[in-house]
Amino acid sequence: MADIFILMLFFVLNADGSHIVGGRDSAPHSRPYMASLQIQGRPNCGGVLVREDFVLTAAHCAVPLQYTVVVGVNSLSGNEATKQELTAVRSFPHPNYDGHANDIMLLKLNSKVQLTEAVQLIALKTGRINVATQCLTVGWGDIGDNNTLARTLQEVNVTTLSQPVCRSFKQRTPTVKCLVSSFLKGDSGGPLVCDGATAGVVSFSGRKCGDSKTPDVYTRISSFREWIRSVKQAKNENVK
């Protein structure tokens, strides 16, 4: 059975089309755990560093090509001195991923990142997320539902809602958590950050961005802590 968060979208564009209302530019290097997963120089998904040589992302981000993993940057178009580039050499999508449920994946890097002020690990959230908890969604994804990727890292505040609201959407699984949120194409695999730890992975959005009748979904990380631990500790892992 799927372990997911259901999240509601409520946003429109500013008049200049550059930002999502309620969102903002992240302060440079204030989210040092963020990783950009790129194919031939183009961003495809987001992720977070959970060990010096592992990135956590979404299983639906798996591709036949190797990812270039970029960390330590605020802007994807600049050449910041803090930038580090690595290669994802092994991928570990959850074995029970079925296109929606269990949408979580670990990427093994070809070497360890150098931890600096601009490159840091993020902890996995433990325990429940209570109603009205303030969290963040972070990413370089589409800023206008029109294939225009963000020039700099974006973040938006999200707030948890009650379980009755979740049940009103009649999702296939009872194991859901609802929040007010805002993510778009290109943010897949990025984090839901609560209390300084990552609590969810951006999974998939509704049919139309900003439509609260088709809310967005995050994978619940707390349900996969043991699997994450086992993958990071395994030896001679098979490449997928």
Side-chain angles (χ1 to χ4, degrees):
M1 185 172 289
D3 254 309
I4 56 179
F5 294 107
I6 303 298
L7 296 101
M8 296 177 63
L9 286 165
F10 293 104
F11 70 86
V12 295
L13 295 179
N14 277 336
D16 65 0
S18 62
H19 295 81
I20 295 171
V21 168
R24 58 191 176 275
D25 291 342
S26 295
H29 309 298
S30 62
R31 311 301 173 195
Y33 45 77
M34 283 298 298
S36 174
L37 310 184
Q38 303 184 5
I39 301 173
Q40 298 179 341
R42 181 165 179 80
N44 187 65
C45 281
V48 292
L49 284 167
V50 292
R51 202 174 80 177
E52 289 93 330
D53 55 348
F54 272 101
V55 168
L56 183 67
T57 186
H60 78 263
C61 289
V63 292
L65 302 174
Q66 287 184 332
Y67 272 121
T68 296
V69 178
V70 178
V71 297
V73 298
N74 181 59
S75 170
L76 297 182
S77 59
N79 190 21
E80 300 175 34
T82 54
K83 180 179 180 179
Q84 297 182 43
E85 285 191 9
L86 302 98
T87 301
V89 293
R90 295 177 177 177
S91 62
F92 304 95
H94 193 277
N96 295 325
Y97 172 60
D98 65 1
H100 283 92
N102 308 302
D103 189 9
I104 192 168
M105 177 171 69
L106 283 162
L107 297 177
K108 179 72 163 63
L109 305 179
N110 63 324
S111 63
K112 293 183 178 181
V113 300
Q114 180 181 357
L115 296 181
T116 66
E117 186 175 348
V119 178
Q120 292 289 321
L121 309 182
I122 190 169
L124 304 181
K125 176 71 174 173
T126 60
R128 296 176 61 86
I129 301 176
N130 297 321
V131 173
T133 297
Q134 290 288 322
C135 302
L136 286 174
T137 295
V138 188
W140 288 279
D142 188 348
I143 59 174
D145 205 12
N146 58 7
N147 295 315
T148 301
L149 297 180
R151 291 186 296 270
T152 59
L153 188 63
Q154 302 289 297
E155 61 184 60
V156 64
N157 292 340
V158 297
T159 304
T160 58
L161 302 177
S162 67
Q163 284 300 315
V165 174
C166 295
R167 287 192 292 270
S168 71
F169 292 115
K170 300 179 180 178
Q171 297 295 326
R172 293 181 301 170
T173 170
T175 53
V176 299
K177 188 74 175 179
C178 294
L179 297 88
V180 177
S181 179
S182 178
F183 67 76
L184 282 167
K185 181 179 179 182
D187 289 322
S188 290
L192 175 70
V193 180
C194 305
D195 301 320
T198 182
V201 174
V202 174
S203 182
F204 61 91
S205 62
R207 291 185 298 275
K208 182 180 180 181
C209 292
D211 187 348
S212 61
K213 295 179 181 178
T214 57
D216 286 354
V217 175
Y218 285 66
T219 302
R220 189 193 305 272
I221 286 178
S222 62
S223 300
F224 298 94
R225 288 177 58 86
E226 180 58 30
W227 174 78
I228 292 170
R229 184 196 63 78
S230 67
V231 171
K232 290 194 296 182
Q233 293 182 355
K235 305 296 182 181
N236 302 315
E237 304 98 331
N238 293 324
V239 178
K240 293 188 179 180

